[in-house]
């Protein structure tokens, strides 16, 4: 008998085996069974042995070059499938030792494969561009690698000799010491005190529960959590300033020796993003920062507070409302909200539901949060920890955005251009979220629920557009300071962080001294110019959603073409072809305008 998953009480702490099959993902598009995986794994291990059989032969002939490319592609595709199956199974229940072993086995085999294929990149870089042209004429199959070769040629100017690159690669762990110390310190060694929740009931603050404690409706809990959390961090400010400085120095040093004018130029070079895109984001958001000041005022008023402190930024501005969904209701809502994207898109979402791409419910040991992950040769899968809330529906539609993007790019592109870049990665997911907000507000009449929905949007906007841009500004500032020889001491970092924070939030938020230490807890500052892409992605998504909702059929087609483009062109060009110019202020302004409109609605 098939259990109706809509009746299932997912809130109990079930064992994996107790979850109804209908609510789990069907991984047979990867492998029919664990036995099939084991068999494929043995074959794969065999193939790895000769993975370097083309080493030293790439320049011999067009046929050899093509054969080498195709062979490495074959191995990578097989590796991806084996890896994804093991990872998804492992994430179903992290305590299950069978899949822990499977996952570590394939991880090991993959690093072995990467080692064997390491000859490819430097050897391809050595190939003369004229040889590539000649080869491509001799064998037209090589023409589909045009951008791939172009990329290698672009990188050549910033690649050192093979010997030097090998030396650098071998020193990788030494270079990463700052980031590694930071990670282990923050996640393992750093211990926080306990905070009182109720009479006779205290909870220890952890990195995992910090944000949810700050979301508490009780101000005393928020305030105590905030103060105790940062009091702990403050004891280590000199150590963490040094780990961060070490990392920033590494970015600057590697950029310099590879012939880039700055760490930012080097980081953006990989995807050929003009630095103007980064500046445009910071400038446009800064020009409109009064919108964030207005949000702070709205929040202050909604919470009925005389003074708004930094620990008052996370608690919801509205009371809880009864707003729950069964999986079936969520599916129906998602399909309606995505209707403006047209039949071709809707069919993929229906397929995702019908073919069980989604693992819905939480269970003991399951990886927390949500994600979407696929391979070129399988369905893209979605892991959820369904709670039935509005937030859960947003997570579902967000991850479906990723999955549809992956699906379309895989379907339309050859393997070498199938995976899209990080710069584009959060656009499809946020476009879907924008469409959901629009649909909900067009159909919801209950005032409390409307305010609940708008609160969700405004909160998300603050966290994505303003906060990430604030981070981007700070990150760039400290890279430049270090490059100019300013030591990144705790004193300097605290002072600059507080200054930028105050500039962003404005006069209506109390600049609590603790917030100057916030840089100490943000892992993204170790990621080398990563965060700005959350804000640019959100802006592009808003632009797309706006055009799609206006009923512009050409815009819908443009959007689908964007989803199908993978990495066949550079991200800025891919977006430009779809009508979004990220070098201009317009997409960012459109996002900010939408934020202003939702604030108007909230205040109505
Ligand atoms: Zn995402």
């Amino acid at each position: 008998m098939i259990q109706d998953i809509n009746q299932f009480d997912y809130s109990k702490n079930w064992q994996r085996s107790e979850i109804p099959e209908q609510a789990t993902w069907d991984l047979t598009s990867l492998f029919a069974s664990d036995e099939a995986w084991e068999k494929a794994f043995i074959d794969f291990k065999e193939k790895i042995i000769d993975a370097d059989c083309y080493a030293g032969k790439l320049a011999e002939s067009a046929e050899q070059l093509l054969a080498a490319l195709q062979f490495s592609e074959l191995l990578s595709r097989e590796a991806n499938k084996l890896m994804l199956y093991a990872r998804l199974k492992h994430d179903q229940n992290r305590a299950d030792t069978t899949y822990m072993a499977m996952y570590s086995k394939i991880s090991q085999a993959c690093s072995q494969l990467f080692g064997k294929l390491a000859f490819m990149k430097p050897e391809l870089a050595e190939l003369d561009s004229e040889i590539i042209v000649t080869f491509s004429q001799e064998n037209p199959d090589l023409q589909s690698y045009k951008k791939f070769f172009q990329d290698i040629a672009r990188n050549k100017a910033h690649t050192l000799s093979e010997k030097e690159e090998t030396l650098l690669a071998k020193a990788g762990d030494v270079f990463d010491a700052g980031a590694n110390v930071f990670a282990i310190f923050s996640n393992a060694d750093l211990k926080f005190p306990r905070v009182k929740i109720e009479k006779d009931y205290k909870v220890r603050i952890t990195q995992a529960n910090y944000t949810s404690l700050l979301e508490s409706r009780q101000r005393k809990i928020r305030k105590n959590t905030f103060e105790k959390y940062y009091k702990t961090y403050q004891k280590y400010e000199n150590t963490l300033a040094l780990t961060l400085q070490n990392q920033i120095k590494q970015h600057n040093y590697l950029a310099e020796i590879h012939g880039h004018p700055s760490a930012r130029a080097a980081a953006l070079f990989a995807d050929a993003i003009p630095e103007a895109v980064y500046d445009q984001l910071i400038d446009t958001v800064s020009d409109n920062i009064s919108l964030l000041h207005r949000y702070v005022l709205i929040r202050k008023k909604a919470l009925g507070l005389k003074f708004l402190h930094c620990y008052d930024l996370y608690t919801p501005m509205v009371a809880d409302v009864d707003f729950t969904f069964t999986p079936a209701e969520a599916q129906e809502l998602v399909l309606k909200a995505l209707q403006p994207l047209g039949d071709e898109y809707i069919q993929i979402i229906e397929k995702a539901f019908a073919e069980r791409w989604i693992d819905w419910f939480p269970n003991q040991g399951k990886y927390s949060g949500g994600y979407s992950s696929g391979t070129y040769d399988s369905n893209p899968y979605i892991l959820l920890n369904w709670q039935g809330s509005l937030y859960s529906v947003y997570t579902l539609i967000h991850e479906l955005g990723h999955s549809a993007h992956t699906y379309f790019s895989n379907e339309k592109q050859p393997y070498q251009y199938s995976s899209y870049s990080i710069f584009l990665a959060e656009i499809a997911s946020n476009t879907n979220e924008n469409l959901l907000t629009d649909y909900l507000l067009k159909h919801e009449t209950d005032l409390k629920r409307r305010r609940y929905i708008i609160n969700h949007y405004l909160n998300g906007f603050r966290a994505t557009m303003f906060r990430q841009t604030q981070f981007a500004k700070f990150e760039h500032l400290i890279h430049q300071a270090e490059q100019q020889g300013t030591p990144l001491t705790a004193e300097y970092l605290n002072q600059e962080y507080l200054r930028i924070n105050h500039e962003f939030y404005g006069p209506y938020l109390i600049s609590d001294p603790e917030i100057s230490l916030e840089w100490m807890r943000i892992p993204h500052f170790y990621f080398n110019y990563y965060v700005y892409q959350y804000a640019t992605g959100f802006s592009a998504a808003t632009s797309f959603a706006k055009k799609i909702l206006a009923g512009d059929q050409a815009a819908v087609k443009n959007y689908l073409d964007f989803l199908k483009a993978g990495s066949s062109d550079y991200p800025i060009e891919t977006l430009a072809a779809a009508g979004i110019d990220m070098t201009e202020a317009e997409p960012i302004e459109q996002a900010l305008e939408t934020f202003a409109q939702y604030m108007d609605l909230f205040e109505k």
Side-chain angles (χ1 to χ4, degrees):
M1 191 193 85
I2 294 178
Q3 211 179 336
D4 181 1
I5 69 166
N6 297 297
Q7 306 290 332
F8 188 74
D9 179 6
Y10 46 80
S11 68
K12 295 213 175 103
N13 193 19
W14 299 102
Q15 295 199 16
R16 179 69 190 176
S17 56
E18 295 170 317
I19 303 288
E21 192 186 41
Q22 279 302 309
T24 63
W25 44 31
D26 172 8
L27 300 184
T28 53
S29 85
L30 283 160
F31 293 98
S33 61
D34 291 357
E35 293 71 42
W37 186 94
E38 289 293 345
K39 212 170 148 267
F41 180 72
I42 293 168
D43 283 356
F44 176 68
K45 287 275 281 182
E46 280 287 309
K47 281 186 209 141
I48 296 179
I49 299 170
D50 290 326
D52 55 359
C53 62
Y54 290 97
K57 296 178 180 165
L58 301 187
E60 276 180 12
S61 68
E63 277 62 42
Q64 287 282 21
L65 178 60
L66 183 65
L69 290 169
Q70 288 175 337
F71 185 53
S72 82
E73 172 184 325
L74 182 91
L75 287 167
S76 307
R77 283 167 68 167
E78 196 58 29
N80 292 344
K81 272 180 73 182
L82 288 161
M83 188 73 184
L84 186 65
Y85 185 87
R87 201 183 107 204
L88 298 179
K89 286 277 185 184
H90 178 46
D91 283 351
Q92 281 177 189
N93 178 8
R94 288 276 179 123
D96 187 330
T97 50
T98 312
Y99 296 118
M100 211 187 286
M102 187 187 242
Y103 184 68
S104 87
K105 216 156 82 169
I106 183 65
S107 304
Q108 232 169 17
C110 284
S111 22
Q112 215 182 334
L113 175 67
F114 294 142
K116 288 263 187 182
L117 290 176
F119 76 92
M120 293 276 291
K121 227 174 142 184
E123 209 177 310
L124 285 167
E126 285 298 308
L127 284 184
D128 206 78
S129 55
E130 275 158 46
I131 286 201
I132 292 172
V133 174
T134 318
F135 280 3
S136 303
Q137 281 160 354
E138 280 172 35
N139 193 327
D141 285 348
L142 281 170
Q143 277 160 22
S144 69
Y145 291 90
K146 199 173 164 202
K147 186 196 163 232
F148 175 82
F149 288 129
Q150 247 173 27
D151 247 359
I152 289 167
R154 271 180 74 236
N155 277 292
K156 214 168 164 172
H158 300 283
T159 309
L160 303 174
S161 73
E162 205 185 323
K163 196 176 160 193
E164 289 165 324
E165 290 291 349
T166 311
L167 281 174
L168 280 175
K170 284 195 173 158
D173 281 347
V174 182
F175 275 106
D176 287 336
N180 290 336
V181 172
F182 167 79
I184 197 89
F185 177 77
S186 327
N187 297 313
D189 287 349
L190 194 58
K191 294 281 181 289
F192 300 97
R194 294 188 302 165
V195 63
K196 194 167 138 192
I197 302 293
E198 279 165 41
K199 192 172 174 283
D200 301 329
Y201 179 54
K202 284 182 169 184
V203 161
R204 184 168 301 284
I205 304 168
T206 63
Q207 299 289 15
N209 69 13
Y210 174 66
T211 311
S212 64
L213 286 168
L214 277 193
E215 284 169 5
S216 171
R217 300 238 178 235
Q218 294 182 53
R219 200 170 193 214
K220 214 169 172 181
I221 296 178
R222 305 200 295 265
K223 183 173 188 285
N224 285 339
T225 302
F226 181 78
E227 287 171 358
K228 288 183 170 187
Y229 183 80
Y230 280 116
K231 204 169 180 170
T232 309
Y233 262 115
Q234 191 165 26
K235 292 187 215 157
Y236 308 103
E237 59 179 355
N238 297 312
T239 304
L240 290 178
L242 200 60
T243 59
L244 183 57
Q245 172 171 269
N246 185 82
Q247 184 72 13
I248 305 299
K249 265 182 195 281
Q250 185 228 71
H251 298 161
N252 283 339
Y253 176 70
L254 289 177
E256 188 192 331
I257 62 169
H258 286 105
H260 293 284
S262 67
R264 187 173 76 169
L268 273 57
F269 178 83
D271 278 333
I273 311 287
E275 285 188 84
V277 170
Y278 199 99
D279 291 327
Q280 183 68 264
L281 172 72
I282 293 177
D283 292 346
T284 310
V285 169
S286 300
D287 289 347
N288 293 279
I289 204 64
S290 60
L291 288 172
L292 181 57
H293 303 173
R294 183 181 160 203
Y295 171 79
V296 169
L297 263 185
I298 291 177
R299 170 166 276 277
K300 187 159 96 90
K301 203 173 127 197
L303 295 178
L305 295 171
K306 198 169 168 203
F307 298 106
L308 195 81
H309 284 268
C310 295
Y311 48 79
D312 297 319
L313 281 172
Y314 293 88
T315 188
M317 292 195 284
V318 293
D320 272 334
V321 289
D322 180 28
F323 213 174
T324 55
F325 305 82
T326 64
E329 287 164 349
Q331 290 179 25
E332 203 190 317
L333 175 58
V334 160
L335 288 168
K336 282 183 184 156
L338 298 177
Q339 211 65 52
L341 293 173
D343 291 345
E344 193 185 352
Y345 192 92
I346 290 293
Q347 274 167 20
I348 303 311
I349 304 301
E350 281 172 343
K351 220 167 132 84
F353 296 144
E355 293 179 359
R356 286 169 45 215
W357 295 3
I358 304 167
D359 204 74
W360 289 83
F361 300 141
N363 60 251
Q364 285 176 36
K366 186 170 172 179
Y367 181 79
S368 60
Y371 65 69
S372 158
S373 193
T375 75
Y376 196 63
D377 301 291
S378 72
N379 293 331
Y381 290 100
I382 294 175
L383 178 136
L384 296 179
N385 277 281
W386 185 254
Q387 301 294 329
S389 61
L390 181 67
Y391 181 80
S392 289
V393 183
Y394 270 100
T395 307
L396 171 67
I397 208 166
H398 179 105
E399 301 307 336
L400 282 166
H402 288 308
S403 287
H405 194 178
T406 303
Y407 182 91
F408 281 121
S409 281
N410 283 345
E411 192 186 49
K412 296 294 172 192
Q413 295 299 326
Y415 175 73
Q416 62 270 29
Y417 305 136
S418 58
S419 56
Y420 42 84
S421 88
I422 300 287
F423 189 84
L424 303 177
E426 289 301 330
I427 297 178
S429 52
N430 280 308
T431 302
N432 280 5
E433 286 204 41
N434 272 294
L435 296 180
L436 178 59
T437 305
D438 183 82
Y439 180 86
L440 285 167
L441 289 174
K442 274 185 183 139
H443 293 84
E444 185 59 66
T445 48
D446 180 80
L447 191 69
K448 275 188 180 159
R449 286 199 195 201
R450 287 179 64 82
R451 283 168 64 84
Y452 189 82
I453 297 160
I454 303 168
N455 170 67
H456 178 89
Y457 178 87
L458 297 177
N459 235 351
F461 193 98
R462 183 194 67 79
T464 311
M465 283 300 291
F466 289 114
R467 188 166 164 83
Q468 306 306 324
T469 305
Q470 179 191 346
F471 286 173
K473 186 169 182 172
F474 178 73
E475 177 178 20
H476 189 44
L477 176 98
I478 60 176
H479 277 87
Q480 285 180 310
E482 200 288 326
Q483 197 181 18
Q484 287 152 12
T486 306
L488 303 183
T489 59
E491 195 190 349
Y492 174 82
L493 294 165
N494 292 346
Q495 169 202 314
E496 290 305 307
Y497 195 87
L498 188 67
R499 185 179 62 76
I500 294 177
N501 197 72
H502 184 65
E503 191 181 299
F504 266 67
Y505 285 97
Y508 312 116
L509 182 77
I510 304 292
S511 238
D512 299 297
E514 288 91 342
I515 205 69
S516 67
L517 307 170
E518 196 179 31
W519 59 267
M520 293 171 73
R521 65 177 292 261
I522 310 295
H524 297 85
F525 294 142
Y526 292 79
F527 291 3
N528 203 6
Y529 291 94
Y530 187 93
V531 289
Y532 81 103
Q533 301 170 110
Y534 290 119
T536 51
F538 191 93
S539 303
T542 307
S543 245
F544 273 129
K546 214 170 174 162
K547 290 179 196 191
I548 293 160
L549 286 166
D552 177 352
Q553 283 314 298
V556 173
K557 189 185 174 293
N558 277 340
Y559 180 65
L560 291 182
D561 286 346
F562 156 75
L563 295 181
K564 293 168 185 170
S567 56
S568 57
D569 203 344
Y570 295 107
I572 296 297
E573 281 69 23
T574 302
L575 284 171
I580 310 276
D581 186 351
M582 291 310 294
T583 63
E584 293 289 331
E586 198 193 3
I588 302 152
E589 280 170 356
Q590 280 182 341
L592 292 160
E593 266 165 39
T594 310
F595 180 66
Q597 283 160 7
Y598 283 133
M599 284 199 290
D600 292 344
L601 270 186
F602 189 81
E603 288 201 296
K604 248 186 193 169

